[in-house]
Amino acid sequence: MQIHKILNNNVVVVLDEENREQVVMGRGLAFKKKCGDEIDPAAIDKVFTMNNPDTNNKFQELVADIPLEYILLVENIITYAKTHIGKKINDSIYISLADHIFMSLTRWKEGIEVKNALLWDIKRFYKDEFCIGLKALEMIKEQSGIMLAEDEAGFIALHFVNAQME
């Protein structure tokens, strides 16, 4: 695999066999590398292929600014959700959810709490998605040591409601 574009030390863009861009991640993947250099496939932790070019570009911008741990956490949350929702989920959720969780943790560290005025309605009308939001809070706590408020589970649930394709 050849480097097409370097986003940061841990994230690069490569072209697949069909000349589509893929975002690949791994610790130190681009360290002392430049465009055109080969990547050791064993150093790759995750590969993301976005079907929509606009989504792909936004995702590349996002992963350049957000630490790798958050992207991997979001990927784990989405994988969990896909197995429990049973509906197709739009790729755009990788962007919206990663950005949301990163900003939620940043706000928490700054002592800023955001209340979810729709929490009661979300719990009532989107029970499955809210359960995924609660599981996401557990996963965030496991990785970061930070337990976000239940309001955040409601916000996360709405990301999954909005990303459902059916």
Side-chain angles (χ1 to χ4, degrees):
M1 241 180 234
Q2 252 185 6
I3 297 174
H4 180 66
K5 182 169 36 171
I6 297 173
L7 300 178
N8 64 37
N9 211 24
N10 302 312
V11 185
V12 299
V13 177
V14 298
L15 297 177
D16 68 7
E17 304 80 34
E18 297 170 12
N19 218 26
R20 290 179 304 178
E21 287 187 342
Q22 292 181 316
V23 177
V24 295
M25 300 177 163
R27 295 233 180 262
L29 200 59
F31 183 67
K32 294 187 178 181
K33 301 267 186 193
K34 60 186 183 310
C35 292
D37 286 353
E38 289 292 321
I39 296 176
D40 177 12
I44 297 172
D45 292 331
K46 293 281 181 188
V47 178
F48 294 94
T49 305
M50 301 291 168
N51 297 324
N52 181 321
D54 289 335
T55 303
N56 189 32
N57 291 337
K58 289 176 186 170
F59 185 69
Q60 288 179 32
E61 290 174 21
L62 185 71
V63 297
D65 296 331
I66 293 180
L68 178 62
E69 298 82 38
Y70 293 106
I71 303 296
L72 297 176
L73 170 64
V74 166
E75 210 272 327
N76 289 336
I77 292 168
I78 293 169
T79 299
Y80 174 84
K82 284 180 177 178
T83 62
H84 288 80
I85 287 180
K87 296 177 183 169
K88 274 187 117 177
I89 298 175
N90 191 305
D91 285 343
S92 65
I93 194 166
Y94 286 94
I95 298 165
S96 62
L97 189 59
D99 187 49
H100 178 85
I101 290 174
F102 179 68
M103 291 309 299
S104 295
L105 290 169
T106 302
R107 281 193 307 269
W108 184 91
K109 290 173 185 173
E110 294 172 357
I112 300 169
E113 187 177 338
V114 177
K115 289 289 184 192
N116 189 337
L118 299 174
L119 187 60
W120 185 85
D121 291 325
I122 294 167
K123 287 180 180 181
R124 184 171 170 221
F125 295 113
Y126 303 111
K127 291 177 180 152
D128 294 339
E129 292 83 356
F130 183 71
C131 287
I132 289 167
L134 291 173
K135 178 64 176 175
L137 294 185
E138 289 175 24
M139 295 168 84
I140 292 167
K141 183 169 184 350
E142 284 174 22
Q143 182 174 320
S144 68
I146 296 171
M147 186 63 194
L148 296 172
E150 186 182 54
D151 294 86
E152 287 298 332
F155 291 130
I156 291 169
L158 288 179
H159 281 281
F160 285 100
V161 169
N162 291 329
Q164 289 177 22
M165 297 174 70
E166 295 175 7

